[in-house]
Amino acid sequence: MVRSLGRGLAWGAFALVGLVATLVLVVPLVIGAERYTIVGGSMEPAIPLGSLVVVQPRELNDIRVGDVITYQLESGEATVATHRVVGEGVVGDGERVLVTQGDANDSADIEPVRAPQVRGVLLYSIPLLGWMNVLISGELRMWVVPVISGALLLYAAWMFVSAWRNRLRRVSDGVPEEQPERVPQTQD
């Protein structure tokens, strides 16, 4: 019973790690999305501090009021913010701009968002995982991700091989396979 529970927990953890890896690495790569870490509390409680957000590029004309977007605070600069679109407007030359506001903020952002600033629209967020993204960045990420992935694959292989070996040992010792308990059926 304890062994079965341990196996179930191990497989559950393995499945959880696989799901997180898919959401963080595979999905953004396949759809051309970008990942960012939320380091401020302006979008709480919808997007808590430390969340990892996955943002898909989208044209300004395809963004609507209510969408959560990530945009550059200044065009061409690396610093970004993730806020909700609360309005739209037009500036002097007829250019469409977006008015944004953090859910936890009392008022809209001072500067409107122009098309070149928009990085994309929020697809999904994963709470707390952003801190891991901050901790494991740059050169550290280049060796940590393959090492952890390799270790998980080795662990999965070890689990398969040990289960296969135990099964072979039971068969060679003449121990029958465990059969599910049959419940007697009655006729009415």
Side-chain angles (χ1 to χ4, degrees):
M1 178 72 168
V2 173
R3 180 179 282 176
S4 294
L5 181 62
R7 258 192 227 135
L9 289 174
W11 279 110
F14 186 69
L16 181 64
V17 168
L19 175 65
V20 169
T22 300
L23 290 173
V24 172
L25 301 171
V26 178
V27 171
L29 182 66
V30 169
I31 64 174
E34 295 180 50
R35 299 177 305 264
Y36 296 96
T37 299
I38 302 298
V39 295
S42 65
M43 284 302 291
E44 289 187 327
I47 306 173
L49 181 68
S51 295
L52 180 81
V53 294
V54 175
V55 176
Q56 185 173 31
R58 193 173 299 168
E59 295 294 323
L60 185 87
N61 290 333
D62 295 332
I63 298 172
R64 303 286 172 243
V65 171
D67 288 343
V68 174
I69 64 169
T70 297
Y71 60 94
Q72 297 170 328
L73 293 177
E74 292 185 32
S75 187
E77 297 293 321
T79 306
V80 295
T82 299
H83 284 167
R84 191 174 306 279
V85 177
V86 295
E88 53 186 66
V90 178
V91 290
D93 59 354
E95 176 188 12
R96 181 174 179 246
V97 294
L98 303 173
V99 178
T100 57
Q101 178 177 342
D103 289 356
N105 295 346
D106 293 331
S107 59
D109 300 331
I110 296 171
E111 293 293 322
V113 178
R114 298 172 180 268
Q117 294 173 268
V118 176
R119 304 306 303 152
V121 174
L122 175 73
L123 284 180
Y124 54 87
S125 66
I126 305 172
L128 302 176
L129 201 57
W131 294 128
M132 182 90 61
N133 192 42
V134 169
L135 290 173
I136 304 172
S137 62
E139 285 189 33
L140 185 60
R141 181 177 296 173
M142 288 175 32
W143 69 268
V144 167
V145 171
V147 166
I148 291 175
S149 300
L152 287 171
L153 288 173
L154 286 173
Y155 177 70
W158 178 74
M159 293 293 288
F160 279 119
V161 169
S162 76
W164 177 69
R165 196 175 51 211
N166 288 340
R167 179 180 230 166
L168 286 177
R169 189 176 301 136
R170 280 194 306 264
V171 168
S172 69
D173 291 343
V175 177
E177 291 285 321
E178 291 181 18
Q179 299 293 324
E181 188 176 317
R182 293 185 173 232
V183 177
Q185 295 180 351
T186 60
Q187 292 181 344
D188 291 326

